[in-house]
Amino acid sequence: MSYRKTLKLICGVAGGSAALVVAAAAADSRGLLGEQRGDAAAGKWSRFTVLRAAQPAWTPAKHTPAPTGHAWDFNWDKRDPSALTNGKKKESATEDPSSEQDNGKPKATRNILLIRHSQYNLGGNSDKERILTPLGREQAELTGQRLAALGLKYDVLIHSSMARATETANIISKHLPGPGVELVSCDLLREGAPIEPVPPVTHWKPDAVQYHEDGARIEAAFRRYIHRADPKQKEDSYEIIVCHANVIRYFVCRALQFPPEGWLRMGLNNGSITWLTIRPSGRVALRTLGDAGFMPPEKLTRT
């Protein structure tokens, strides 16, 4: 077999692996592939061995991700109607248990838009001094404009009681369409250390007490705000929560039933939008994570 034929054959079957092409060509030119004059069968067998070795050594079975074994918990928020009706005694013999369950079944979808506060003064000695920078106020304006451009009817704007989140929320609220959207301040949404991250990092190491206190508070915030709709809610809702990067990342992990200790593996820009959708069935979808594409590149920060 000529050098050119060997090169074409190996490139075609093996995907052009340079090392194998060179090795096969050199071996063929030196007669090392076993092809002797009058011994075509041995040559074909040897070339087949080389080509087979050049192909990727995998099968679909080997490269299919294995399930973790953790099924989706449809009662993750303890509001699954089928779980709520279990064990209840029927008040009358004529009562239809299916109709009781239907009446208590959520019908609306909740859309929760989690906004990270804008850039703030890192040099402040207290929370009151850690107000937004001029760029941070501009970022909040851009986020408010983006939320308005979505054309959604927002039901409420909840924000952390920390100064930077409160100021961000006040700027955003000026852009929201329709009658004034109610602003609600909440201490549970304050920044903190939700759970010790895995893998650990060296630049940020809160002590065990902070994880213990902050973790319980942030988990309480998750349970208050991240859940399926109440059965009495008739229409889909759109709720804005302005808070902090650690809180948002922890919420996302918990809502998607990912390991919560992985929260620090994600990064969020200031003023970015993270959108969670919670269906009546208890299914949760992440529509956007840290969307800041509506801001010019020179306006993007992560402080």
Side-chain angles (χ1 to χ4, degrees), residues 76 109-114 222 225-227 237-239 241 247-248 250-256 273-279 283-289:
W76 59 273
T109 294
R110 294 185 66 216
N111 294 274
I112 302 171
L113 289 86
L114 301 161
F222 173 82
Y225 297 114
I226 312 298
H227 55 78
S237 60
Y238 296 87
E239 304 159 47
I241 299 179
V247 177
I248 294 172
Y250 178 79
F251 280 11
V252 168
C253 288
R254 287 281 284 108
L256 298 179
I273 301 172
T274 296
W275 186 339
L276 285 172
T277 296
I278 306 176
R279 302 294 182 188
R283 293 181 183 272
V284 180
L286 180 64
R287 296 190 62 172
T288 63
L289 175 66

Short mmCIF file of all heavy atoms in Angstrom, two decimals, residues 76 109-114 222 225-227 237-239 241 247-248 250-256 273-279 283-289:
data_model
loop_
_atom_site.label_atom_id
_atom_site.label_comp_id
_atom_site.label_asym_id
_atom_site.label_seq_id
_atom_site.Cartn_x
_atom_site.Cartn_y
_atom_site.Cartn_z
N TRP A 76 -41.26 18.60 47.77
CA TRP A 76 -40.11 19.30 48.32
C TRP A 76 -40.51 20.52 49.15
O TRP A 76 -39.80 20.91 50.08
CB TRP A 76 -39.17 19.73 47.20
CG TRP A 76 -39.81 20.63 46.18
CD1 TRP A 76 -40.50 20.24 45.07
CD2 TRP A 76 -39.82 22.06 46.18
NE1 TRP A 76 -40.95 21.34 44.37
CE2 TRP A 76 -40.55 22.47 45.03
CE3 TRP A 76 -39.30 23.04 47.02
CZ2 TRP A 76 -40.76 23.81 44.70
CZ3 TRP A 76 -39.51 24.37 46.70
CH2 TRP A 76 -40.23 24.75 45.56
N THR A 109 -49.05 29.17 38.16
CA THR A 109 -47.59 29.05 38.14
C THR A 109 -46.98 30.30 38.76
O THR A 109 -47.41 31.42 38.47
CB THR A 109 -47.09 28.90 36.70
OG1 THR A 109 -47.54 27.65 36.18
CG2 THR A 109 -45.56 28.94 36.63
N ARG A 110 -46.00 30.11 39.62
CA ARG A 110 -45.29 31.24 40.21
C ARG A 110 -43.98 31.47 39.47
O ARG A 110 -43.20 30.55 39.25
CB ARG A 110 -44.99 30.99 41.69
CG ARG A 110 -46.22 30.92 42.57
CD ARG A 110 -45.82 30.80 44.03
NE ARG A 110 -45.17 32.01 44.49
CZ ARG A 110 -44.16 32.04 45.36
NH1 ARG A 110 -43.67 30.90 45.85
NH2 ARG A 110 -43.63 33.18 45.76
N ASN A 111 -43.75 32.71 39.07
CA ASN A 111 -42.50 33.13 38.45
C ASN A 111 -41.79 34.05 39.43
O ASN A 111 -42.32 35.09 39.82
CB ASN A 111 -42.76 33.85 37.14
CG ASN A 111 -43.37 32.94 36.09
OD1 ASN A 111 -42.65 32.25 35.37
ND2 ASN A 111 -44.69 32.93 36.00
N ILE A 112 -40.59 33.65 39.83
CA ILE A 112 -39.84 34.41 40.82
C ILE A 112 -38.57 34.93 40.16
O ILE A 112 -37.72 34.14 39.72
CB ILE A 112 -39.51 33.54 42.04
CG1 ILE A 112 -40.81 33.01 42.66
CG2 ILE A 112 -38.72 34.34 43.07
CD1 ILE A 112 -40.60 31.97 43.72
N LEU A 113 -38.45 36.24 40.08
CA LEU A 113 -37.28 36.87 39.46
C LEU A 113 -36.37 37.38 40.57
O LEU A 113 -36.71 38.33 41.28
CB LEU A 113 -37.71 38.00 38.53
CG LEU A 113 -38.39 37.53 37.24
CD1 LEU A 113 -39.89 37.33 37.45
CD2 LEU A 113 -38.17 38.51 36.09
N LEU A 114 -35.25 36.72 40.72
CA LEU A 114 -34.27 37.04 41.76
C LEU A 114 -33.24 38.01 41.20
O LEU A 114 -32.53 37.69 40.23
CB LEU A 114 -33.60 35.77 42.26
CG LEU A 114 -34.55 34.70 42.84
CD1 LEU A 114 -33.87 33.34 42.87
CD2 LEU A 114 -35.00 35.11 44.23
N PHE A 222 -35.85 30.79 52.12
CA PHE A 222 -36.19 29.90 51.01
C PHE A 222 -37.57 29.30 51.21
O PHE A 222 -38.40 29.28 50.28
CB PHE A 222 -35.14 28.79 50.89
CG PHE A 222 -35.49 27.74 49.88
CD1 PHE A 222 -35.24 27.94 48.53
CD2 PHE A 222 -36.08 26.54 50.27
CE1 PHE A 222 -35.58 26.97 47.58
CE2 PHE A 222 -36.42 25.58 49.34
CZ PHE A 222 -36.17 25.80 47.99
N TYR A 225 -40.42 31.96 50.60
CA TYR A 225 -40.64 32.56 49.28
C TYR A 225 -40.60 31.58 48.11
O TYR A 225 -41.15 31.87 47.05
CB TYR A 225 -39.62 33.67 49.03
CG TYR A 225 -39.76 34.82 50.01
CD1 TYR A 225 -38.75 35.11 50.93
CD2 TYR A 225 -40.91 35.60 50.02
CE1 TYR A 225 -38.87 36.16 51.83
CE2 TYR A 225 -41.05 36.65 50.91
CZ TYR A 225 -40.03 36.92 51.82
OH TYR A 225 -40.17 37.95 52.71
N ILE A 226 -39.93 30.44 48.26
CA ILE A 226 -39.78 29.52 47.12
C ILE A 226 -40.65 28.30 47.36
O ILE A 226 -40.27 27.37 48.09
CB ILE A 226 -38.30 29.12 46.92
CG1 ILE A 226 -37.40 30.36 46.95
CG2 ILE A 226 -38.15 28.35 45.62
CD1 ILE A 226 -37.67 31.37 45.85
N HIS A 227 -41.80 28.29 46.75
CA HIS A 227 -42.75 27.18 46.87
C HIS A 227 -43.80 27.32 45.78
O HIS A 227 -43.91 28.37 45.13
CB HIS A 227 -43.41 27.16 48.26
CG HIS A 227 -44.09 28.46 48.61
ND1 HIS A 227 -45.32 28.83 48.11
CD2 HIS A 227 -43.68 29.49 49.41
CE1 HIS A 227 -45.66 30.02 48.58
NE2 HIS A 227 -44.68 30.45 49.36
N SER A 237 -48.37 34.29 38.63
CA SER A 237 -47.82 35.48 39.30
C SER A 237 -46.37 35.70 38.90
O SER A 237 -45.66 34.78 38.51
CB SER A 237 -47.93 35.33 40.82
OG SER A 237 -47.21 34.19 41.26
N TYR A 238 -45.95 36.97 39.01
CA TYR A 238 -44.58 37.39 38.72
C TYR A 238 -44.09 38.23 39.90
O TYR A 238 -44.58 39.34 40.12
CB TYR A 238 -44.51 38.18 37.41
CG TYR A 238 -44.90 37.34 36.21
CD1 TYR A 238 -46.24 37.23 35.82
CD2 TYR A 238 -43.94 36.63 35.49
CE1 TYR A 238 -46.60 36.44 34.73
CE2 TYR A 238 -44.30 35.83 34.41
CZ TYR A 238 -45.62 35.75 34.04
OH TYR A 238 -45.98 34.97 32.96
N GLU A 239 -43.16 37.68 40.65
CA GLU A 239 -42.70 38.31 41.88
C GLU A 239 -41.20 38.60 41.76
O GLU A 239 -40.44 37.75 41.31
CB GLU A 239 -42.99 37.40 43.07
CG GLU A 239 -44.47 37.02 43.18
CD GLU A 239 -44.69 35.75 43.99
OE1 GLU A 239 -44.09 35.65 45.08
OE2 GLU A 239 -45.45 34.87 43.54
N ILE A 241 -37.67 39.55 43.69
CA ILE A 241 -36.97 39.54 44.97
C ILE A 241 -35.57 40.10 44.75
O ILE A 241 -34.77 39.53 43.99
CB ILE A 241 -36.88 38.12 45.57
CG1 ILE A 241 -38.28 37.56 45.83
CG2 ILE A 241 -36.06 38.13 46.85
CD1 ILE A 241 -38.28 36.14 46.38
N VAL A 247 -27.43 34.36 48.67
CA VAL A 247 -28.82 33.95 48.88
C VAL A 247 -29.41 33.39 47.59
O VAL A 247 -30.04 32.32 47.59
CB VAL A 247 -29.66 35.15 49.39
CG1 VAL A 247 -31.13 34.74 49.54
CG2 VAL A 247 -29.11 35.67 50.71
N ILE A 248 -29.19 34.07 46.49
CA ILE A 248 -29.76 33.63 45.21
C ILE A 248 -29.18 32.28 44.80
O ILE A 248 -29.91 31.38 44.38
CB ILE A 248 -29.48 34.69 44.12
CG1 ILE A 248 -30.26 35.98 44.43
CG2 ILE A 248 -29.87 34.15 42.73
CD1 ILE A 248 -29.91 37.13 43.52
N TYR A 250 -27.89 29.95 46.63
CA TYR A 250 -28.41 28.90 47.51
C TYR A 250 -29.85 28.56 47.13
O TYR A 250 -30.22 27.37 47.06
CB TYR A 250 -28.33 29.36 48.96
CG TYR A 250 -28.91 28.36 49.95
CD1 TYR A 250 -28.16 27.25 50.35
CD2 TYR A 250 -30.19 28.53 50.48
CE1 TYR A 250 -28.68 26.33 51.25
CE2 TYR A 250 -30.71 27.61 51.38
CZ TYR A 250 -29.96 26.52 51.76
OH TYR A 250 -30.47 25.60 52.65
N PHE A 251 -30.67 29.57 46.87
CA PHE A 251 -32.06 29.34 46.45
C PHE A 251 -32.12 28.47 45.19
O PHE A 251 -32.95 27.56 45.09
CB PHE A 251 -32.75 30.67 46.16
CG PHE A 251 -33.24 31.40 47.39
CD1 PHE A 251 -32.88 31.00 48.66
CD2 PHE A 251 -34.08 32.50 47.27
CE1 PHE A 251 -33.33 31.67 49.80
CE2 PHE A 251 -34.54 33.17 48.39
CZ PHE A 251 -34.17 32.77 49.65
N VAL A 252 -31.25 28.76 44.23
CA VAL A 252 -31.26 28.01 42.97
C VAL A 252 -30.92 26.53 43.22
O VAL A 252 -31.59 25.63 42.71
CB VAL A 252 -30.26 28.63 41.97
CG1 VAL A 252 -30.04 27.70 40.77
CG2 VAL A 252 -30.77 29.99 41.50
N CYS A 253 -29.90 26.28 44.01
CA CYS A 253 -29.53 24.89 44.31
C CYS A 253 -30.66 24.16 45.02
O CYS A 253 -30.99 23.02 44.67
CB CYS A 253 -28.27 24.86 45.18
SG CYS A 253 -26.74 25.31 44.32
N ARG A 254 -31.27 24.80 45.99
CA ARG A 254 -32.35 24.16 46.74
C ARG A 254 -33.57 23.92 45.86
O ARG A 254 -34.19 22.85 45.91
CB ARG A 254 -32.73 25.02 47.94
CG ARG A 254 -31.72 25.00 49.07
CD ARG A 254 -31.86 23.72 49.91
NE ARG A 254 -33.03 23.80 50.79
CZ ARG A 254 -34.17 23.11 50.63
NH1 ARG A 254 -34.31 22.28 49.63
NH2 ARG A 254 -35.16 23.24 51.48
N ALA A 255 -33.92 24.91 45.05
CA ALA A 255 -35.12 24.79 44.21
C ALA A 255 -34.98 23.70 43.16
O ALA A 255 -35.94 23.00 42.84
CB ALA A 255 -35.43 26.13 43.54
N LEU A 256 -33.77 23.53 42.62
CA LEU A 256 -33.53 22.52 41.58
C LEU A 256 -33.14 21.17 42.18
O LEU A 256 -32.85 20.23 41.44
CB LEU A 256 -32.44 23.00 40.62
CG LEU A 256 -32.77 24.27 39.83
CD1 LEU A 256 -31.59 24.65 38.94
CD2 LEU A 256 -34.03 24.09 39.00
N ILE A 273 -30.40 39.09 36.56
CA ILE A 273 -31.73 38.52 36.77
C ILE A 273 -31.64 37.00 36.71
O ILE A 273 -31.14 36.42 35.74
CB ILE A 273 -32.72 39.01 35.70
CG1 ILE A 273 -32.82 40.54 35.72
CG2 ILE A 273 -34.09 38.37 35.88
CD1 ILE A 273 -33.64 41.11 34.57
N THR A 274 -32.12 36.35 37.76
CA THR A 274 -32.25 34.89 37.80
C THR A 274 -33.73 34.57 37.92
O THR A 274 -34.41 35.08 38.82
CB THR A 274 -31.47 34.31 38.99
OG1 THR A 274 -30.07 34.57 38.81
CG2 THR A 274 -31.69 32.80 39.11
N TRP A 275 -34.25 33.74 37.02
CA TRP A 275 -35.69 33.53 36.91
C TRP A 275 -36.03 32.07 37.19
O TRP A 275 -35.63 31.16 36.46
CB TRP A 275 -36.14 33.93 35.51
CG TRP A 275 -37.61 33.93 35.24
CD1 TRP A 275 -38.59 33.26 35.90
CD2 TRP A 275 -38.27 34.64 34.19
NE1 TRP A 275 -39.82 33.51 35.35
CE2 TRP A 275 -39.66 34.34 34.30
CE3 TRP A 275 -37.84 35.48 33.16
CZ2 TRP A 275 -40.60 34.87 33.41
CZ3 TRP A 275 -38.78 35.99 32.28
CH2 TRP A 275 -40.14 35.70 32.40
N LEU A 276 -36.76 31.85 38.26
CA LEU A 276 -37.26 30.52 38.61
C LEU A 276 -38.75 30.43 38.32
O LEU A 276 -39.50 31.36 38.60
CB LEU A 276 -37.03 30.23 40.10
CG LEU A 276 -35.62 29.89 40.57
CD1 LEU A 276 -35.58 29.84 42.09
CD2 LEU A 276 -35.15 28.57 39.98
N THR A 277 -39.17 29.30 37.75
CA THR A 277 -40.59 29.04 37.50
C THR A 277 -41.00 27.80 38.29
O THR A 277 -40.36 26.75 38.20
CB THR A 277 -40.85 28.80 36.00
OG1 THR A 277 -40.54 30.01 35.28
CG2 THR A 277 -42.30 28.45 35.76
N ILE A 278 -42.07 27.93 39.08
CA ILE A 278 -42.56 26.83 39.90
C ILE A 278 -43.96 26.46 39.43
O ILE A 278 -44.90 27.26 39.56
CB ILE A 278 -42.57 27.20 41.39
CG1 ILE A 278 -41.18 27.70 41.83
CG2 ILE A 278 -42.98 25.99 42.24
CD1 ILE A 278 -41.13 28.19 43.25
N ARG A 279 -44.11 25.27 38.89
CA ARG A 279 -45.38 24.80 38.35
C ARG A 279 -46.29 24.28 39.47
O ARG A 279 -45.82 23.92 40.55
CB ARG A 279 -45.14 23.69 37.33
CG ARG A 279 -44.25 24.09 36.17
CD ARG A 279 -44.88 25.13 35.29
NE ARG A 279 -44.03 25.48 34.15
CZ ARG A 279 -44.28 26.48 33.31
NH1 ARG A 279 -45.38 27.20 33.48
NH2 ARG A 279 -43.46 26.74 32.32
N ARG A 283 -42.96 20.97 39.88
CA ARG A 283 -41.78 21.02 39.02
C ARG A 283 -41.19 22.43 39.03
O ARG A 283 -41.93 23.42 39.07
CB ARG A 283 -42.15 20.64 37.58
CG ARG A 283 -42.57 19.17 37.43
CD ARG A 283 -42.88 18.86 35.97
NE ARG A 283 -43.35 17.50 35.79
CZ ARG A 283 -42.55 16.46 35.60
NH1 ARG A 283 -41.25 16.63 35.55
NH2 ARG A 283 -43.06 15.25 35.45
N VAL A 284 -39.88 22.50 38.97
CA VAL A 284 -39.19 23.78 39.01
C VAL A 284 -38.27 23.89 37.79
O VAL A 284 -37.59 22.92 37.43
CB VAL A 284 -38.35 23.93 40.29
CG1 VAL A 284 -37.64 25.28 40.32
CG2 VAL A 284 -39.25 23.78 41.52
N ALA A 285 -38.27 25.05 37.16
CA ALA A 285 -37.41 25.29 36.00
C ALA A 285 -36.62 26.57 36.22
O ALA A 285 -37.13 27.55 36.79
CB ALA A 285 -38.23 25.38 34.72
N LEU A 286 -35.37 26.56 35.80
CA LEU A 286 -34.52 27.74 35.84
C LEU A 286 -34.50 28.35 34.45
O LEU A 286 -33.86 27.81 33.54
CB LEU A 286 -33.11 27.36 36.29
CG LEU A 286 -32.09 28.50 36.39
CD1 LEU A 286 -32.49 29.51 37.45
CD2 LEU A 286 -30.69 27.94 36.68
N ARG A 287 -35.19 29.46 34.28
CA ARG A 287 -35.29 30.07 32.95
C ARG A 287 -34.05 30.89 32.61
O ARG A 287 -33.59 30.90 31.46
CB ARG A 287 -36.54 30.94 32.86
CG ARG A 287 -37.84 30.15 33.01
CD ARG A 287 -39.07 30.97 32.70
NE ARG A 287 -39.07 31.44 31.33
CZ ARG A 287 -40.10 32.05 30.75
NH1 ARG A 287 -41.21 32.27 31.45
NH2 ARG A 287 -40.04 32.46 29.50
N THR A 288 -33.53 31.60 33.57
CA THR A 288 -32.27 32.33 33.37
C THR A 288 -31.48 32.30 34.67
O THR A 288 -32.05 32.29 35.76
CB THR A 288 -32.49 33.81 32.97
OG1 THR A 288 -33.16 34.50 34.03
CG2 THR A 288 -33.31 33.92 31.69
N LEU A 289 -30.17 32.32 34.54
CA LEU A 289 -29.28 32.39 35.71
C LEU A 289 -28.32 33.55 35.52
O LEU A 289 -27.49 33.54 34.61
CB LEU A 289 -28.49 31.09 35.87
CG LEU A 289 -27.44 31.08 36.99
CD1 LEU A 289 -28.12 31.19 38.36
CD2 LEU A 289 -26.57 29.83 36.93
#
